[in-house]
Amino acid sequence: MTSTTNRRQQPIQRPKGTQDIFLDKVALWHAVERTATQLLESAGYSEIRTPVFESTELFKRSVGEDTDIVNKEMYTFEKGDRSLTLRPEGTAGVVRAFIEQGLHRQPKPLKLFYSAPMFRYERPQAGRQRQFHQFGVEVFGADSPAADAEVIQLAMRLFERLGLPNLVLEINNIGDSASRQQFRESFCQLIEPVLLEFCDTCQTRFHTNPFRMLDCKNSACQEHYSEPTVARFLASEWTSEASQKHYTQVTTILDYLKIPYQRNHRLVRGLDYYNATVFEITSTHLGAQNTVCGGGRYDSLVEQLGGPSTPAVGWALGMERLVSLVEDCALPALDYYIVTDQHASALALADQLRQQGKSVEVDLTARAFGKQLATANKRHAHSAIILGEAEASSGQLQIKFLSSGQQIEQSRDDLLKSCKLPEA
RNA sequence: GCGGGUGUUGCCAAGUGGUUAAGGCCCCGGAUUGUGAUUCCGGUAUUCGUGGGUUCAAUUCCCAUCACCCGCCCCA
């Protein structure tokens, strides 16, 4: 048959590694975002919104030319004579805005947060999408250990508020670039004789970024690090004296705040801009992609991107991963569900109640009141307001408390008065 | 980019080379035209991810493709 005229149109699917978020799921996202936003705003952080795409050059210069993110995971496209890239992470754009908008002239420290989609071209997997969302914080202009401790404290408190126990905070000090350069040389000298015993990727990393060898998951590679000479070298205080002092103070504050952590001297990060404090927060309920939150200090990035020398520290957390951990949380309940066949009057009442700060839904069908009550129950409404013909003309409403089944009569005016918010 | 697994309705699923593709949840209608969470009755897949092949006949067999899942890798 050559006829294709009555063949059904092929539905268009969403691009691989992307998601539609709706109904209960989006309510959960809102709850998590609201909790995070409230916590951060209560600590003096303010939101920053930056473009979804930036100059490709920005990411090359900040994230690092040798990283996997820049090498093989960026969505880059050319327009006119410029190369643009969908942001693969949030810090670079925030730092660019910090410099471009002259935010270094704001009172220090400047504390910012963002919540935004990110894009990386990777093979999708549980907890790893091509479009994913990060919530992040950045503190500019504070070099004290208190800044490191505060951002960690806020991350841990956020997880606590969301009811997530059993998260593990790991922390490490990776020193400044000079000591890291020295460490790198000594490390390479030490490893070179046995380099051929490492896995292929480690052998590549030996030349590009030897630090990444340290967190290789291959057990054969890890065995080399338990050999006495190597182990002693790794555990040695190879970082600068200043960064050691800083690190000690950060952990002292964490102890004081009773925030549990594990030191992990093999913890390194995949982005080039970090120095001194680095940390990760992981969960055992996430499968292979178990990092919920990661971050650290990046004291030279602002200057490296052309701004005035400004110390900074921050983290980012993966919203999809976080939301998947919070899945059991109760959804916010509805205050009133209006059961009615008098829609004009019901819409007006709902409007007035909402102005008093109540959450209200009006039944928009013309179904029997019994069906409407059943819907009110499904919406987990606290109470149903029955507004039929009799109530509309008398102004006396029937209020039914759905948990007890008890029903009272109340005038429209009294109802509005009783839920009036206190004067500011 | 590499290896392994899966794909039946909004969701969870059973099933077979051959008349109308189980069942449960959700949704919708009714019993009950103004009072819910229980109960009872009824309804909802021209179709088995998509495309092609083998066959008299394909959801079932074969190939390709797409999507998802689990690893590698990477990171939030």
Side-chain angles (χ1 to χ4, degrees), chain A residues 327-400:
Chain A
E327 217 120 54
D328 305 322
C329 277
L331 291 175
L334 188 67
D335 293 319
Y336 295 111
Y337 190 91
I338 304 183
V339 170
T340 189
D341 55 6
Q342 306 290 312
H343 285 121
S345 180
L347 289 169
L349 175 63
D351 199 35
Q352 291 171 312
L353 286 166
R354 287 179 195 132
Q355 281 177 39
Q356 311 282 7
K358 296 293 176 184
S359 56
V360 189
E361 261 192 80
V362 176
D363 193 297
L364 300 173
T365 72
R367 289 188 288 202
F369 282 17
K371 298 281 184 200
Q372 295 195 28
L373 254 330
T375 307
N377 197 44
K378 273 175 211 143
R379 289 280 194 280
H380 301 110
H382 176 265
S383 37
I385 298 174
I386 294 153
L387 173 53
E389 206 176 339
E391 290 81 7
S393 57
S394 70
Q396 290 295 113
L397 304 171
Q398 297 295 325
I399 316 284
K400 179 161 188 155

Side-chain angles (χ1 to χ4, degrees), chain A residues 66 184 203-210:
Chain A
D66 293 328
R184 180 176 169 157
Q203 294 194 32
T204 311
R205 285 175 186 147
F206 180 83
H207 301 290
T208 55
N209 187 354

Side-chain angles (χ1 to χ4, degrees), chain A residues 53-126:
Chain A
F53 55 88
E54 297 271 2
S55 291
T56 302
E57 188 61 20
L58 174 66
F59 302 114
K60 288 189 176 171
R61 277 167 59 184
S62 57
V63 176
E65 297 260 17
D66 293 328
T67 61
D68 286 313
I69 292 179
V70 169
N71 272 328
K72 46 191 192 193
E73 297 175 5
M74 296 207 301
Y75 281 94
T76 297
F77 55 100
E78 314 298 322
K79 273 290 171 192
D81 56 354
R82 344 173 187 274
S83 176
L84 301 168
T85 293
L86 298 182
R87 60 179 167 214
E89 60 97 46
T91 301
V94 173
V95 171
R96 193 229 77 231
F98 178 83
I99 298 165
E100 185 172 344
Q101 303 301 331
L103 297 180
H104 51 90
R105 314 263 314 245
Q106 292 286 319
K108 303 262 173 32
L110 182 66
K111 303 187 284 187
L112 301 171
F113 71 89
Y114 60 84
S115 179
M118 305 293 163
F119 306 84
R120 290 183 201 172
Y121 185 75
E122 296 180 274
R123 185 77 172 263
Q125 187 180 320

Side-chain angles (χ1 to χ4, degrees), chain A residues 185-205:
Chain A
E185 281 165 21
S186 318
F187 176 77
C188 288
Q189 268 178 20
L190 197 63
I191 292 300
E192 194 153 24
V194 289
L195 182 60
L196 292 176
E197 295 168 28
F198 282 84
C199 70
D200 291 349
T201 36
C202 276
Q203 294 194 32
T204 311
R205 285 175 186 147

